[in-house]
Amino acid sequence: AVLRLLVVFALVTPFWSLFDQKASTWVIQAGSMSKPSWFEAGQMQALNPALVMILIPFNNLVLYPLLRRWGYEPTALRRMTAGIVYSALAWVVVGLMQLVIDGGHPLSIVWQVLPYALLTFGEVLVSATGLEFAYSQAPPSMKGTLMSFWNLSVTVGNLWVLLANLGVKNEAVTGAIARTGLGVAAFQMFFFALFALLAALAFGAYARRSRVADPSRLVGSA
């Protein structure tokens, strides 16, 4: 059970690569966007917790019951797969916005509301669902261990960002990026979006073959 969950955690690490950069890469982008003089770029971060408080009850009370009514069961693994996809879409949007900025066209900071909404929706589908899924699938004696591995997946996700940032400091890499016609920031945004989409494909394929344990049986066997 633990090894099966560790594969799930490993495939979730690209999501954390994208999610945690909202406090760095997205703030830097916001700093180059037009906004009121009294508004600071970092204040856009307040959108995330506000949207979380809206989306969690919306999903539980509206979205999931509606999907079930249509004959589609939003299982934990399906929700997590969709969450990774939504996070990738958020980065496609910020990448397109960066292209506009790099082209010298002024862009309002209000445009960042869209990628924040997409990323937060992905967070609700991945983070909250992942914690619940890991806790329910782990044997009683391993629940604490699995929670520590879940937190470790966040660390690994941030290490992917570190490696990518080190890579773009290489002259050969920056030269290759320049030949694409994209700026470094825009290239990285699209790179991370592709990274997450590939992870979502792998996650979805694994989820289709993965067996989900009955939590009541795990408790009974303890």
Side-chain angles (χ1 to χ4, degrees):
V2 171
L3 291 175
R4 187 173 68 250
L5 288 172
L6 290 182
V7 174
V8 172
F9 291 176
L11 294 173
V12 168
T13 58
F15 164 79
W16 295 113
S17 298
L18 277 62
F19 178 76
D20 285 344
Q21 285 192 79
K22 67 178 174 50
S24 54
T25 306
W26 287 19
V27 173
I28 293 172
Q29 184 189 68
S32 62
M33 303 174 81
S34 60
K35 52 191 172 297
S37 59
W38 52 268
F39 191 86
E40 297 292 334
Q43 289 178 288
M44 288 296 290
Q45 296 286 296
L47 271 176
N48 176 247
L51 287 170
V52 166
M53 297 303 293
I54 295 171
L55 288 172
I56 288 180
F58 171 80
N59 287 355
N60 291 332
L61 299 175
V62 179
L63 180 61
Y64 299 156
L66 186 62
L67 290 174
R68 292 187 182 100
R69 197 173 300 125
W70 289 343
Y72 184 85
E73 179 60 35
T75 64
L77 293 178
R78 286 174 175 174
R79 279 181 271 163
M80 293 172 72
T81 303
I84 300 173
V85 172
Y86 275 101
S87 67
L89 292 177
W91 277 77
V92 171
V93 173
V94 295
L96 293 173
M97 288 163 50
Q98 190 64 43
L99 290 179
V100 175
I101 294 170
D102 291 345
H105 303 287
L107 200 61
S108 171
I109 198 171
V110 175
W111 281 98
Q112 274 202 340
V113 173
L114 176 57
Y116 267 101
L118 291 170
L119 187 67
T120 306
F121 188 55
E123 176 195 5
V124 170
L125 294 175
V126 173
S127 182
T129 304
L131 279 172
E132 177 188 356
F133 178 74
Y135 194 80
S136 69
Q137 294 296 294
S141 61
M142 297 296 293
K143 291 187 184 295
T145 302
L146 261 297
M147 292 302 100
S148 68
F149 276 112
W150 176 259
N151 291 327
L152 182 62
S153 70
V154 181
T155 302
V156 174
N158 283 275
L159 288 176
W160 291 127
V161 179
L162 175 64
L163 292 174
N165 288 336
L166 288 174
V168 297
K169 292 181 179 180
N170 182 284
E171 290 185 4
V173 174
T174 53
I177 293 173
R179 287 192 291 274
T180 67
L182 299 174
V184 172
F187 179 87
Q188 283 186 286
M189 290 169 177
F190 290 123
F191 169 80
F192 280 111
L194 179 61
F195 185 39
L197 284 173
L198 292 175
L201 288 174
F203 192 99
Y206 181 78
R208 293 186 64 179
R209 303 194 314 271
S210 181
R211 292 181 296 105
V212 178
D214 182 354
S216 62
R217 294 183 62 185
L218 290 173
V219 173
S221 64

